[in-house]
Amino acid sequence: MHESPAFNPQIYAQRRQRLAQSLQPGSVALIPTAPERIRNRDCHYPYRPDSYFYYLTGFTEPNAWLALDAQGHSLLFCQPKDIEREIWDGYRLGPEAAPARLGVDEAASIDQLGARLSALLENRSAVYYPFATHEGLAARVEQWLEAVRARARYGASVPTAQHDVCALLDEMRLVKDAHETATIARACRISAAAHVRAMQRSAQLLAAGEDAREYHLEAELLHVFRQHGAQFPAYSSIVAAGPNACVLHYRAGDAPLRSGELVLIDAGCELDGYASDITRTFPADGRFTGPQRDLYDLVLASQSAALAATAPGARFTAPHDAAVRTLTQGMLDLGLLDANQVGTLDDAIENRAYFPFYMHRTGHWMGMDVHDCGSYNEEGGEPGEAGESERRDPLSGEVIRNRPSRILRPGMVLTIEPGIYVRPASGVPEVFHHIGIRIEDDALITDSGHTLLTREVPVAASEIEALMRA
């Protein structure tokens, strides 16, 4: 299913040039990768590079930095070749091979970082680096600037401004290029296959009378992810049986799968640095009960309404508003909300009467990070629009500043994930108690609308039942 394409340094060189063109003339940008993290004692967590650094270099080794100036000259700092350490920790590219392999202009040993950066910052107009993302980074930059200031008697000048490079990179990363959308699509196909396998395994275990637990299905997901080349789960997999589905960020545990109950799986793999994100809810034994089907069809209808509003030129909030309207009407129809208490549909929406059953938004950006970077409002790229206002939240009482939300454009990728979560409460019909349902797909905005990347796993209730019977 997956074969990683050959590494293409030109992709990353083009991104570096785009960033360089956005820098203030005479400035320099510094981007470190992520540090290695100790899990316990002398064992590390599996290593993953920083997303911003990887986006600009494609380099996956730890202990590395990128320096880029406004003229587009790139300098990579990386670990030097060390035969003894490579015996223990694995192959290192090394600064000698890095320019040819990665397409950077120059490379140096990480041991030279302090001295080279102090010299590089001399007589620059400004320095860019990621704000509030790497512990201690601002202090290190200050140390290098102090070293520059100490050379003032020799004519050295210090950058007079510091800028958050994430503000520029977030805008770049929000609209995906062809390489990115192809990688995300491959990740989505792998994740869809994993969900299919988990659904079928649930039905098989219960039909055979075997012990069936959440972690059994999590194991199926991980098996498919790795079998097809994905390096990691994109996030901690949610496998929630029965009432656990009403916990939004529940993690797969040891709760049993039971006939007559639902299972909610929210899981996706990360492939070559890019995430996927799928949620499906299905009957553990392969057959929906009447109340389960009523709520499931409502959530699916709300997702269909949200998808109808997902198109270039629409606001980011349009899918959420469409989903909320469909969900709230369904809650009134099914008796989850009492019109005598909440009023009309518009009243219920205005006062957020739906909130006890639907408390999250309908989507988020997706890319290198499963909750990807990029502004959700006009400050991130729709300047000059009128319409900013303030309102008081009817539930919390807090003052919220309304800004026009982001306009969807081709190349953006977002999730569409409405849900409903019914906990026992006074006035809530008992037949719906402990039912949690979410349906999530990943949508790529296109010139004409959108493309769903995750529909290789079924979503209609009848198709899920047929799949599980098979």
Side-chain angles (χ1 to χ4, degrees), residues 213-214 239-246 250 255-258 261-264 284 434:
R213 298 184 180 271
E214 292 165 341
V239 182
N244 294 333
C246 292
Y250 180 86
L257 314 181
R258 294 189 175 94
E261 292 187 344
L262 298 178
V263 179
L264 185 155
H434 299 300

Side-chain angles (χ1 to χ4, degrees), residues 27-338:
S27 64
V28 64
L30 310 176
I31 301 100
T33 194
E36 293 183 284
R37 300 288 187 184
I38 297 291
R39 182 182 184 276
N40 60 309
R41 195 69 174 180
D42 58 352
C43 294
H44 289 78
Y45 283 104
Y47 182 71
R48 184 192 187 276
D50 174 80
S51 293
Y52 292 112
F53 178 87
Y54 184 83
Y55 179 77
L56 294 170
T57 65
F59 190 49
T60 58
E61 289 184 26
N63 205 13
W65 285 64
L66 174 70
L68 180 73
D69 66 23
Q71 288 71 46
H73 184 272
S74 53
L75 168 58
L76 179 82
F77 294 92
C78 61
Q79 297 176 118
K81 297 291 289 181
D82 184 327
I83 299 302
E84 182 177 353
R85 290 315 314 166
E86 290 181 52
I87 290 173
W88 289 93
D89 301 327
Y91 171 78
R92 295 179 180 182
L93 180 61
E96 293 79 11
R101 169 64 175 161
L102 302 176
V104 293
D105 297 310
E106 185 183 356
S109 170
I110 193 66
D111 300 330
Q112 302 175 25
L113 181 69
R116 291 291 300 270
L117 286 189
S118 295
L120 188 63
L121 290 169
E122 280 193 17
N123 306 317
R124 298 287 184 175
S125 62
V127 57
Y128 291 75
Y129 61 92
F131 286 8
T133 57
H134 297 269
E135 185 177 357
L137 176 56
R140 295 192 72 180
V141 173
E142 290 294 334
Q143 290 177 346
W144 295 324
L145 295 178
E146 288 176 8
V148 176
R149 184 170 285 110
R151 289 180 45 78
R153 71 186 68 181
Y154 303 106
S157 64
V158 181
T160 57
Q162 299 180 27
H163 302 287
D164 186 6
V165 74
C166 296
L168 301 177
L169 288 170
D170 286 354
E171 286 300 300
M172 290 176 58
R173 286 174 53 187
L174 183 55
V175 177
K176 276 62 179 176
D177 59 33
H179 167 79
E180 293 179 289
T181 56
T183 305
I184 293 170
R186 291 199 304 273
C188 289
R189 288 195 294 271
I190 294 171
S191 295
H195 277 260
V196 167
R197 182 181 176 110
M199 286 181 182
Q200 293 181 322
R201 185 60 175 155
S202 177
Q204 290 168 357
L205 288 171
L206 289 179
E210 297 181 30
D211 184 38
R213 298 184 180 271
E214 292 165 341
Y215 58 73
H216 289 129
L217 302 191
E218 182 187 25
E220 301 296 336
L221 298 169
L222 296 174
H223 171 79
V224 176
F225 292 169
R226 288 300 285 145
Q227 185 183 44
H228 295 293
Q231 291 83 6
F232 312 101
Y235 50 96
S236 296
S237 299
I238 297 170
V239 182
N244 294 333
C246 292
V247 180
L248 297 185
H249 289 166
Y250 180 86
R251 295 186 178 183
D254 62 358
L257 314 181
R258 294 189 175 94
S259 295
E261 292 187 344
L262 298 178
V263 179
L264 185 155
I265 294 182
D266 185 339
C269 71
E270 179 180 299
L271 175 71
D272 298 342
Y274 288 85
S276 55
D277 190 1
I278 302 176
T279 306
R280 290 293 186 268
T281 308
F282 56 91
D285 58 1
R287 181 169 298 181
F288 287 94
T289 67
Q292 291 170 355
R293 180 67 181 264
D294 289 340
L295 290 183
Y296 187 90
D297 287 346
L298 171 58
V299 175
L300 184 57
S302 73
Q303 193 199 37
S304 297
L307 289 171
T310 304
R315 297 283 182 180
F316 174 81
T317 51
H320 177 72
D321 293 341
V324 164
R325 191 164 193 86
T326 300
L327 284 170
T328 306
Q329 182 63 64
M331 293 174 194
L332 289 165
D333 295 341
L334 293 172
L336 292 173
L337 295 178
D338 185 347

